[in-house]
Amino acid sequence: MESVIRDNIVNYLDSNHKLSSRQYGFTKGRSCLTNLLETFESWTQALDDGYGIDVIYLDYRKAFDTVPHHRLLFKLSQVGISGNVLAWIRQFLTGRTMKVNARGCYSQWAQVISGAPQGSVSGPLLFLLHVNDLPDWIKNSINMFADDTKIWSTITSETDSYLLQEDLNRLELWSKKWLLQLHPEKCKVMHVGHRYQTTYTMEDHGTTRTL
């Protein structure tokens, strides 16, 4: 049943071009390899033109487990998923419970109010739809493989670095709005082929952290 619904949603998304072209995870004809090849081609072109590149690699804390169900359902409705299909997904996500086993001792049952169910057929697709609009917030270049995200800019002057920082700021706003928390300690910056060693920053629990 889950596979039938997932396949029909995918067909709808593909025929109506609803999925972001910047997403390479869990999509037909795309993979980690195609992500890397396209990115490498873009970077090589910039270097051949005599410019450098700044790349910011981003990491989310427990991304699949922290997707808020009510916000996810809203995003599904925004891409045109409605009626019985949306109602089925709502029932699929809600009412789940869990408990933890530690050395033979079990915790009390607790409600699961967030997360795209890992190990399920439709979980990866639901996660992709939750992050589907993230590239729309970025003015420079971005590629994603599920939650693994990198943004970059060709650096011709210091102004380009400032614009990349603005993208990072917008991405933080998106993350706060949709309740996916960035992990600044695991976010990294790579400077390639230029002398502008700009420092990029990110907010972490009210504290500005240098990447």
Side-chain angles (χ1 to χ4, degrees):
M1 178 66 177
E2 191 182 349
S3 296
V4 169
I5 291 176
R6 188 274 315 274
D7 291 346
N8 277 275
I9 292 175
V10 169
N11 289 336
Y12 162 76
L13 296 172
D14 288 345
S15 61
N16 291 278
H17 308 290
K18 294 289 187 178
L19 282 177
S20 172
S21 62
R22 300 296 89 205
Q23 178 62 257
Y24 290 81
F26 310 116
T27 53
K28 185 177 180 180
R30 294 181 160 224
S31 64
C32 183
L33 179 59
T34 56
N35 182 340
L36 293 173
L37 288 174
E38 182 178 310
T39 303
F40 182 74
E41 182 177 357
S42 173
W43 294 358
T44 300
Q45 183 63 56
L47 293 172
D48 287 346
D49 291 341
Y51 301 119
I53 307 159
D54 274 0
V55 188
I56 303 177
Y57 292 91
L58 301 162
D59 184 81
Y60 284 93
R61 289 188 173 102
K62 300 181 179 179
F64 273 74
D65 294 331
T66 56
V67 173
H69 292 162
H70 56 294
R71 281 172 167 78
L72 170 59
L73 291 168
F74 171 77
K75 286 199 167 187
L76 296 181
S77 69
Q78 291 298 101
V79 297
I81 298 172
S82 59
N84 289 336
V85 174
L86 185 63
W88 187 92
I89 295 173
R90 181 181 290 108
Q91 290 296 318
F92 174 74
L93 292 173
T94 57
R96 290 176 174 267
T97 57
M98 63 176 290
K99 63 180 179 179
V100 177
N101 178 355
R103 298 181 180 179
C105 296
Y106 288 89
S107 68
Q108 297 294 318
W109 287 101
Q111 291 289 325
V112 178
I113 61 173
S114 65
Q118 296 195 52
S120 66
V121 172
S122 57
L125 176 61
L126 294 177
F127 181 83
L128 294 190
L129 290 171
H130 187 67
V131 300
N132 193 51
D133 66 323
L134 189 154
D136 297 338
W137 289 56
I138 303 301
K139 296 188 180 299
N140 283 292
S141 300
I142 179 173
N143 273 346
M144 305 173 67
F145 190 89
D147 61 311
D148 291 331
T149 304
K150 54 181 172 285
I151 60 175
W152 72 90
S153 174
T154 299
I155 305 299
T156 61
S157 68
E158 289 185 279
T159 300
D160 294 318
S161 300
Y162 299 147
L163 294 176
L164 187 58
Q165 176 66 58
E166 290 182 3
D167 270 347
L168 186 57
N169 297 340
R170 280 188 287 269
L171 193 145
E172 287 189 82
L173 291 174
W174 180 95
S175 301
K176 291 176 181 177
K177 180 177 180 179
W178 299 108
L179 302 185
L180 286 185
Q181 189 175 9
L182 286 162
H183 198 323
E185 290 183 352
K186 293 186 177 180
C187 296
K188 304 297 180 183
V189 175
M190 182 170 67
H191 305 283
V192 182
H194 65 88
R195 66 182 183 277
Y196 301 109
Q197 298 295 303
T198 302
T199 298
Y200 296 96
T201 60
M202 180 182 294
E203 291 293 321
D204 185 22
H205 295 93
T207 302
T208 301
R209 182 186 291 274
T210 300
L211 301 183

